[in-house]
Amino acid sequence: MEPLKSNESNNNSEPKNARLNNAYPLKPSAAFVGASWMTLIIGMTAYCIGLYNSAMAYNEKGYYFTILLFGLFSVISVQKSVRDRLEGIPVTDLYYSISWFSTIASIVLLIIGLWNADLLLSEKGFFGMSFVLGLFSALAVQKNTRDLKQFESTTI
């Protein structure tokens, strides 16, 4: 994938193209940043409270907790590598592939674990939904963190 190129032939839309090419990054709103952090905290806390209150053996609880941590790390890695590529920052194909593989693997491992678990269907749904909430909000938090950092570096 090649880096983004600016549109130099049309000078009338230069501010718009400059904004799209991150020359003038937009600052995420405080509401979006707060909502992202709150959903991350809610998703992780709910998942962990569900694990604590479940009637699983400790090794099963450890498995599901490790899947949560693995998934959170992998989606942040995917978001960073995808964004780096879009901005023209070099990312090796190996790292990019491993990031996607680990994200998919964490989701598949959770599905397999829940499929074979001796839990009520409502408990399985709870773990699945809180896991997905945590993964999605980790993406949003990473995006906001990067956007804020980029905004601060261009306004200084």
Side-chain angles (χ1 to χ4, degrees):
M1 180 180 258
E2 60 186 72
L4 296 173
K5 297 178 184 174
S6 64
N7 185 1
E8 297 178 53
S9 62
N10 187 359
N11 291 332
N12 295 339
S13 62
E14 188 173 333
K16 182 180 177 184
N17 286 336
R19 180 162 282 176
L20 290 175
N21 289 329
N22 295 325
Y24 304 107
L26 297 174
K27 182 179 180 183
S29 69
F32 185 59
V33 171
S36 301
W37 276 103
M38 285 307 299
T39 56
L40 178 61
I41 291 166
I42 290 168
M44 289 177 57
T45 303
Y47 189 92
C48 290
I49 289 172
L51 279 180
Y52 179 78
N53 290 325
S54 70
M56 294 184 218
Y58 286 128
N59 62 335
E60 289 179 275
K61 290 180 180 185
Y63 171 81
Y64 287 109
F65 184 69
T66 303
I67 293 298
L68 175 67
L69 296 179
F70 180 50
L72 292 172
F73 176 78
S74 63
V75 295
I76 290 171
S77 186
V78 164
Q79 196 278 339
K80 182 182 178 350
S81 61
V82 167
R83 179 109 177 234
D84 282 352
R85 282 187 163 202
L86 288 174
E87 293 175 355
I89 300 170
V91 175
T92 64
D93 289 336
L94 180 62
Y95 184 78
Y96 184 74
S97 300
I98 289 172
S99 299
W100 273 108
F101 175 78
S102 60
T103 299
I104 294 167
S106 69
I107 295 168
V108 168
L109 287 171
L110 180 77
I111 290 169
I112 291 170
L114 290 176
W115 185 273
N116 294 313
D118 189 25
L119 298 171
L120 296 174
L121 193 55
S122 60
E123 291 176 305
K124 292 178 181 184
F126 170 80
F127 281 116
M129 292 306 293
S130 59
F131 182 78
V132 170
L133 177 64
L135 294 188
F136 181 76
S137 58
L139 281 172
V141 166
Q142 166 62 16
K143 180 195 176 308
N144 290 338
T145 302
R146 185 158 175 167
D147 287 348
L148 284 170
K149 190 70 171 172
Q150 189 174 23
F151 180 78
E152 290 169 0
S153 69
T154 58
T155 57
I156 294 177

